[in-house]
Amino acid sequence: MAKNISKTYDPQEFEQRIYAEWEQSGTFAPSEDRSEAKPYTIVMPPPNITGKLHMGHALDQTLQDVLIRWRRMQGYNTLWIPGSDHASIAAEVKVVQKIREEEGKEKEDLGREEFLKRVWDWKEEYGNTITTQIRKLGASCDWERERFTMDEGCSRAVVAKFVDLHKKGLIYRGKRLINWCPDCGTSLSDAEVEHADKNAKYYYIRYPGADGSEGIIVATSRPETMFGDCAVAVSPEDERYKDMIGKTVIVPMAEREVPIIADPYPDPEKGTGAVKITPAHDPNDFEVGERHDLPKWSCLNDDATMNELAGKYEGMDRYECRKALIADIEAAGLLVKTEDKLIPIGECYRCHSAVEPMISNQWFVKMEELAKPAAEVVRSGKLKLVPERFSKIYLHWLDDIRDWCISRQLWWGHRIPAYYCDDCGEIIVAEEAPHTCPKCGSKNLRQDEDVLDTWFSSALWPFSTLGWPDDNEDLKYFYPTSTLVTGYDIIFFWVIRMVFSGIETMGEIPFEHVYVHGLVRDAEGRKMSKSLGNGIDPLDVIEQYGADALRFMLMNGVTPGNDMRFITGKLEAARNFANKLWNASRFVIMNITDENGEFIDDAEIYAGLDGAALTNEDKWIVSAINAAAEEITANMEKFELALASQKVYDLIWNNYCDWYIEFAKGRLYGGDEADKQTARRVLVICLKKLLMMLHPFMPFITEEIWSALPRIAAESDEANPQGFLLRQAWPVYAEADSYPAEEAEIEAAMEAIRVVRNIRNEAGTVPSRKVNAAVLAEAGTEEKLMRTERLIRTQAGVEELSFIKNREELTGEVMSGVMNGAEIFIKTDDLMDYQTEYDRLLKEQKKLQGEVDRVEKKLSNQGFVSKAPEQVIAAESEKQVKYSDMLAKVTDRLAVVEKKLGK
């Protein structure tokens, strides 16, 4: 017995069942036969184990799934590798907080080994939440190959790459200025610092001359760092200070004498033109200090409290110190003025605390040599960013790149494979822990306490997930990968690092295209956030509307590189579209099965069409789908997924549901058995092609409908014994299915039908009333309409369709409408029952007269007018005008109808 689909569309009834069938069958996995098919590979941007699915993930995952499903149907040997990231800082913060709340302890109380055990336990309990949620979206990735940035293979790759880069001199340990987050207690790379303009104060402070002179005035937003000042710099071109260069001034409250130096860094147009130089707490000052061989005095502790250099302020928090210090400077008469200004503040991307530049011993990657080939592949076009404008942002980052600080003062992560000899100070970098020092033979060795930046392991993701450093068949076949889908907010965090890591390690770019998408914002264009309370949980949306509706809404609104708005109305429209397809499919299934629920025809008749048996409307729908397949494929190739999805939508909603099914009904209910069978064949074959083109966007509903349609032998094979839709061949353009002449004819008929329907609607003609229509057309259009007269008459409620040569042939009052190459006329006598219209208009006139009388009585009441608010009176006046105008129109129309009736 044939399978039918439920009477009503309920995605909860089948979405998860279908996903389980897909996953259990192994149909997401690539074929082991690699002799012919070309590979198409995507590596999933690994979501953090601390995360829960949000709308940005939903967009990102859906984009990848659309591409992988489409390429799979095109015959590519597809591999989509899922995975998750260990999220070093975020995960450690969560577990530390959990231990603190539940046990009242710090991680140091547990020790490193026990703390890491707790994090792994937490990862096992909560870390797989997001990958489970991703399944609900329909992600067709190969879960058998799921990776984790700290699994055994990825960890081995990280250690191997660190050792390799160190041997090449591209990783070094040095004391340099780094970004420090005092709350997270770790260093940050430049990419992990978010910059925002904040309202703050600029303090103009006088540094008295050591010789008793007035000295010099500097402007600073961070006066607490004065205790690390080692000079004041001025431009050598600044005439105001030329005589002061070489003299010394006293740093207030620090009572330290520092020189005035000449350097190109100060801008004479900014502030006072004189800059306090604190090499240990400012990147620009650090560079000035390097040029002038200045000392680097740090006055802050790691927790952003003041150290011993701050004297009486030692132990104070940086902001507490600032307040007390300024009060003392003012009391000493050295505060010249204070200005309120917007100042760029660097914040930690995780906790949003203000970052402090600090001098520290850290591990760095030398970037100059690595950046050049990464820039060249984009400049040459070998690596393409979509949209292309993001190439400029990518190159801007690389042009201004600094050495990458990769060490983090955390416990959770890949521990740096560097070992220190406590006897001779030798540093050993090795994949395996050494037993003795190669320099002095000592066994007194200890491993570096720090872990690597999370992005170091993520940078290796395209090849570490394929088994590198082992030289295996997967790596040879699937690398380089094909497309990376990512948000514009991590182009520097991740994309650039993967590119230079891939080129350096594999000698090849890691992917050919980078599809850059924007953020999903709320309906008002605001970023979704906890603080605004405007976040939308994709799982709630899936529960209410289904995953297909969410996916289609996201794809229909996405354009490369641009933010999109989450609008509930569009989600409802996507759900309505699914419902429309569902009902149309039920109609088809009901008409291809008998009263016992068996298919009327042998399934193999749906393997193809007999062109000679097709009517013009059959050829029209076949030709329209054929042309659309070519257009939609072209859109997909250019990553124009919104355009592609809209074309599939229009094809299904308009061409197939609203027109072709209506065309076919008369034939299905007729007596010509051969023609009925042709109509059934066209309905099924076209529906199957439409389901194929919609499948990447709405995989669940298409698979469920597909399973209820007749199955031909060619739709199942050894690789797809279940005959799943997701393994069917993507529709391609075929010259044999192109019928341009018939398309033009049916399009003309459809236009004529629309004109007649519009006239009927305007006249208020009841659907059951038949009308006679006359057509005045150009020769070519007339021929098309004559050949499609049957369709026009049945679809537009036309009893008789006549063709005239001029307007003089028309008699009586008519209503008309214009189409391309023709004008259609219908007598008003045909359009309405005048007695019924007369009775309706009398009722309407009486009702409107009552409204006019009521409003006029109200407005003539002085008691109401004197007491009512102005807006109420204005509203009543507007009603008076509106109802009076409507009454006049009804009265005029009534006079015309009375004349027709001879009253």
Side-chain angles (χ1 to χ4, degrees):
M1 181 175 285
K3 170 189 171 182
N4 203 342
I5 55 176
S6 302
K7 188 174 181 180
T8 56
Y9 170 61
D10 180 8
Q12 300 304 323
E13 190 180 281
F14 58 84
E15 286 190 348
Q16 291 313 300
R17 167 177 55 78
I18 287 175
Y19 193 87
E21 290 171 5
W22 284 334
E23 189 172 357
Q24 287 162 15
S25 71
T27 195
F28 297 156
S31 169
E32 290 302 317
D33 180 8
R34 298 170 183 178
S35 57
E36 293 183 13
K38 185 179 178 183
Y40 183 85
T41 318
I42 294 179
V43 288
M44 180 186 290
N48 290 345
I49 56 168
T50 56
K52 290 181 70 176
L53 194 73
H54 58 63
M55 206 51 74
H57 290 129
L59 173 62
D60 197 70
Q61 298 296 329
T62 303
L63 282 165
Q64 293 171 80
D65 195 47
V66 167
L67 292 172
I68 210 81
R69 285 179 184 271
W70 167 56
R71 292 298 192 188
R72 185 185 291 125
M73 294 176 80
Q74 280 193 315
Y76 286 83
N77 197 10
T78 55
L79 172 61
W80 182 15
I81 303 176
S84 52
D85 189 276
H86 63 281
S88 190
I89 297 176
E92 181 152 325
V93 166
K94 276 193 177 291
V95 178
V96 165
Q97 187 177 7
K98 185 173 186 285
I99 294 167
R100 192 178 289 150
E101 289 173 358
E102 294 178 2
E103 302 175 43
K105 294 180 180 179
E106 297 298 324
K107 68 176 186 178
E108 290 78 10
D109 298 326
L110 301 179
R112 188 172 193 134
E113 187 176 341
E114 176 60 23
F115 175 75
L116 291 178
K117 181 180 178 297
R118 299 286 186 93
V119 185
W120 278 107
D121 290 344
W122 182 90
K123 189 262 179 190
E124 289 306 308
E125 187 174 354
Y126 300 106
N128 299 323
T129 300
I130 194 161
T131 52
T132 303
Q133 292 171 334
I134 286 169
R135 285 171 164 86
K136 290 185 178 293
L137 280 165
S140 60
C141 37
D142 186 357
W143 292 106
E144 292 298 313
R145 295 173 185 255
E146 184 177 0
R147 302 302 302 268
F148 175 51
T149 48
M150 280 183 64
D151 66 27
E152 186 181 348
C154 288
S155 295
R156 191 159 62 88
V158 166
V159 171
K161 193 65 213 169
F162 185 97
V163 173
D164 175 57
L165 290 175
H166 184 265
K167 282 179 181 174
K168 293 172 179 174
L170 293 172
I171 282 182
Y172 66 93
R173 189 168 188 263
K175 200 162 192 173
R176 294 185 63 83
L177 195 72
I178 51 97
N179 304 299
W180 182 263
C181 175
D183 277 15
C184 293
T186 186
S187 59
L188 302 171
S189 70
D190 289 345
E192 292 169 315
V193 178
E194 294 178 347
H195 294 276
D197 288 339
K198 298 286 180 79
N199 290 314
K201 292 188 181 296
Y202 247 76
Y203 302 96
Y204 287 75
I205 300 168
R206 183 180 302 282
Y207 284 36
D211 59 2
S213 64
E214 286 192 348
I216 199 165
I217 298 169
V218 303
T220 180
S221 61
R222 298 163 66 220
E224 65 276 9
T225 63
M226 288 168 54
F227 300 105
D229 287 359
C230 58
V232 171
V234 296
S235 169
E237 308 301 321
D238 195 331
E239 295 293 335
R240 294 171 294 179
Y241 302 123
K242 278 196 172 180
D243 293 341
M244 298 182 72
I245 295 169
K247 292 184 178 180
T248 57
V249 290
I250 306 297
V251 179
M253 306 303 142
E255 302 305 321
R256 178 189 302 132
E257 194 173 326
V258 298
I260 297 175
I261 60 173
D263 191 89
Y265 166 59
D267 182 350
E269 302 299 318
K270 286 186 178 178
T272 64
V275 180
K276 68 188 227 33
I277 301 300
T278 319
H281 295 293
D282 183 275
N284 294 308
D285 293 4
F286 181 86
E287 298 300 330
V288 174
E290 290 287 282
R291 287 194 289 271
H292 295 269
D293 196 25
L294 298 173
K296 299 174 181 68
W297 295 316
S298 177
C299 58
L300 285 164
N301 296 314
D302 287 352
D303 61 356
T305 58
M306 308 307 296
N307 66 20
E308 68 280 358
L309 277 183
K312 70 174 186 177
Y313 308 98
E314 182 180 359
M316 286 186 179
D317 171 78
R318 53 184 163 170
Y319 301 124
E320 184 187 355
C321 171
R322 182 182 299 176
K323 186 176 179 182
L325 177 61
I326 287 298
D328 289 344
I329 289 173
E330 186 172 18
L334 298 174
L335 182 64
V336 178
K337 64 174 180 175
T338 304
E339 276 183 357
D340 291 321
K341 276 195 171 186
L342 274 178
I343 296 173
I345 304 290
E347 295 179 343
C348 172
Y349 80 113
R350 281 288 172 200
C351 69
H352 302 292
S353 297
V355 168
E356 285 291 345
M358 303 270 268
I359 292 284
S360 178
N361 259 327
Q362 302 286 342
W363 290 91
F364 295 86
V365 175
K366 284 184 181 176
M367 288 308 308
E368 187 177 359
E369 186 179 327
L370 295 171
K372 288 175 183 175
E376 180 53 34
V377 292
V378 169
R379 287 196 175 99
S380 68
K382 186 176 182 181
L383 173 63
K384 295 177 176 64
L385 277 76
V386 180
E388 198 277 331
R389 71 175 186 271
F390 281 97
S391 298
K392 292 180 182 176
I393 297 170
Y394 174 100
L395 292 170
H396 172 72
W397 273 105
L398 283 173
D399 289 342
D400 292 341
I401 204 161
R402 299 191 328 182
D403 285 357
W404 174 18
C405 177
I406 55 171
S407 44
R408 297 290 179 270
Q409 289 63 53
L410 302 164
W411 286 356
W412 172 244
H414 297 99
R415 194 167 177 181
I416 292 173
Y419 305 85
Y420 304 93
C421 176
D422 286 336
D423 291 332
C424 71
E426 180 74 358
I427 301 176
I428 307 110
V429 172
E431 292 188 39
E432 300 292 336
H435 297 294
T436 58
C437 173
K439 186 175 181 182
C440 71
S442 170
K443 291 185 178 182
N444 195 14
L445 303 175
R446 58 185 171 82
Q447 188 175 355
D448 197 304
E449 292 289 324
D450 292 350
V451 299
L452 286 164
D453 178 5
T454 300
W455 297 102
F456 188 90
S457 52
S458 299
L460 316 182
W461 193 244
F463 49 91
S464 65
T465 52
L466 289 169
W468 187 91
D470 296 334
D471 187 19
N472 62 70
E473 292 304 313
D474 272 2
L475 192 60
K476 291 175 184 174
Y477 183 70
F478 290 112
Y479 188 93
T481 67
S482 307
T483 305
L484 176 77
V485 175
T486 188
Y488 60 59
D489 51 339
I490 56 171
I491 288 177
F492 183 78
F493 271 127
W494 194 38
V495 178
I496 286 174
R497 289 167 177 169
M498 280 191 289
V499 174
F500 70 65
S501 297
I503 294 170
E504 203 285 329
T505 308
M506 305 295 297
E508 267 287 0
I509 53 174
F511 24 73
E512 297 167 19
H513 291 93
V514 179
Y515 179 100
V516 183
H517 62 77
L519 306 176
V520 181
R521 297 183 178 273
D522 70 7
E524 297 174 35
R526 300 173 302 174
K527 189 174 180 179
M528 292 186 185
S529 67
K530 286 182 182 177
S531 59
L532 289 174
N534 62 344
I536 298 167
D537 187 339
L539 298 180
D540 292 342
V541 174
I542 290 170
E543 183 70 27
Q544 185 176 356
Y545 296 95
D548 282 329
L550 174 59
R551 287 170 62 111
F552 194 82
M553 184 276 289
L554 290 170
M555 291 302 93
N556 202 241
V558 71
T559 51
N562 295 326
D563 293 345
M564 65 176 292
R565 295 188 182 195
F566 185 95
I567 298 171
T568 304
K570 290 186 176 180
L571 187 64
E572 289 168 350
R575 162 81 189 223
N576 292 342
F577 172 52
N579 198 58
K580 178 100 169 177
L581 172 63
W582 188 264
N583 291 335
S585 301
R586 269 186 57 79
F587 171 83
V588 172
I589 294 165
M590 286 165 58
N591 280 280
I592 61 173
T593 51
D594 60 23
E595 63 274 10
N596 298 316
E598 300 290 346
F599 290 125
I600 296 170
D601 305 302
D602 183 90
E604 290 306 312
I605 75 159
Y606 299 111
L609 290 168
D610 176 8
L614 300 180
T615 63
N616 281 3
E617 57 265 38
D618 294 336
K619 291 178 180 178
W620 164 76
I621 190 67
V622 168
S623 192
I625 292 172
N626 185 47
E630 185 174 41
E631 291 175 15
I632 290 163
T633 301
N635 292 138
M636 299 287 277
E637 292 284 358
K638 292 185 282 188
F639 298 96
E640 296 168 345
L641 305 187
L643 275 174
S645 66
Q646 186 60 44
K647 285 177 182 175
V648 180
Y649 175 98
D650 291 339
L651 202 59
I652 291 173
W653 189 293
N654 299 328
N655 296 53
Y656 188 75
C657 296
D658 283 355
W659 287 103
Y660 184 71
I661 286 179
E662 295 303 315
F663 288 159
K665 280 179 180 177
R667 297 160 66 195
L668 291 170
Y669 306 148
D672 187 334
E673 291 302 322
D675 189 46
K676 285 168 74 172
Q677 187 182 73
T678 298
R680 290 195 295 268
R681 289 173 76 176
V682 174
L683 279 167
V684 171
I685 289 171
C686 288
L687 178 56
K688 282 189 170 188
K689 285 195 174 181
L690 293 170
L691 293 174
M692 289 172 184
M693 287 190 278
L694 181 61
H695 179 76
F697 303 99
M698 301 179 89
F700 293 111
I701 186 174
T702 52
E703 190 74 80
E704 179 71 355
I705 294 169
W706 176 270
S707 69
L709 296 175
R711 183 77 46 80
I712 64 173
E715 290 166 353
S716 302
D717 56 25
E718 190 178 338
N720 184 25
Q722 302 87 350
F724 286 133
L725 172 57
L726 92 164
R727 283 281 179 184
Q728 302 304 319
W730 178 257
V732 294
Y733 176 83
E735 193 61 42
D737 288 337
S738 178
Y739 298 101
E742 288 82 351
E743 269 199 86
E745 265 188 26
I746 300 299
E747 293 288 348
M750 288 161 60
E751 195 176 356
I753 292 164
R754 279 191 288 265
V755 168
V756 175
R757 287 174 177 174
N758 287 342
I759 295 172
R760 292 175 65 101
N761 287 337
E762 195 178 331
T765 308
V766 293
S768 59
R769 188 178 181 86
K770 294 284 186 179
V771 300
N772 295 323
V775 180
L776 177 61
E778 297 170 3
T781 305
E782 184 178 82
E783 290 170 11
K784 292 172 187 172
L785 298 182
M786 282 181 171
R787 284 196 290 268
T788 55
E789 181 182 344
R790 173 182 58 83
L791 285 180
I792 297 169
R793 288 174 54 236
T794 57
Q795 297 301 312
V798 174
E799 184 74 41
E800 183 182 326
L801 188 68
S802 60
F803 293 86
I804 60 177
K805 298 300 178 185
N806 54 65
R807 289 172 180 269
E808 284 67 34
E809 294 181 46
L810 297 168
T811 58
E813 189 178 339
V814 297
M815 292 180 71
S816 67
V818 179
M819 60 173 282
N820 186 28
E823 189 171 4
I824 300 175
F825 305 89
I826 304 175
K827 288 185 177 182
T828 52
D829 291 350
D830 278 3
L831 290 166
M832 65 185 72
D833 178 336
Y834 284 107
Q835 185 59 51
T836 302
E837 179 68 359
Y838 178 73
D839 293 342
R840 186 188 70 79
L841 288 169
L842 272 180
K843 287 181 184 177
E844 186 70 12
Q845 185 186 47
K846 184 178 179 181
K847 178 184 172 185
L848 289 169
Q849 186 65 60
E851 290 295 333
V852 170
D853 292 345
R854 183 189 63 77
V855 174
E856 287 180 348
K857 185 178 178 181
K858 213 171 190 180
L859 291 174
S860 62
N861 183 336
Q862 289 303 312
F864 169 76
V865 173
S866 62
K867 294 176 182 177
E870 283 185 23
Q871 61 266 33
V872 173
I873 296 171
E876 291 298 322
S877 298
E878 285 179 17
K879 287 179 186 176
Q880 182 185 30
V881 173
K882 180 179 79 171
Y883 290 137
S884 297
D885 183 54
M886 290 169 70
L887 178 61
K889 287 178 180 176
V890 167
T891 303
D892 289 346
R893 181 67 183 153
L894 196 57
V896 172
V897 174
E898 285 177 338
K899 188 177 178 183
K900 289 285 182 183
L901 292 171
K903 290 183 182 288

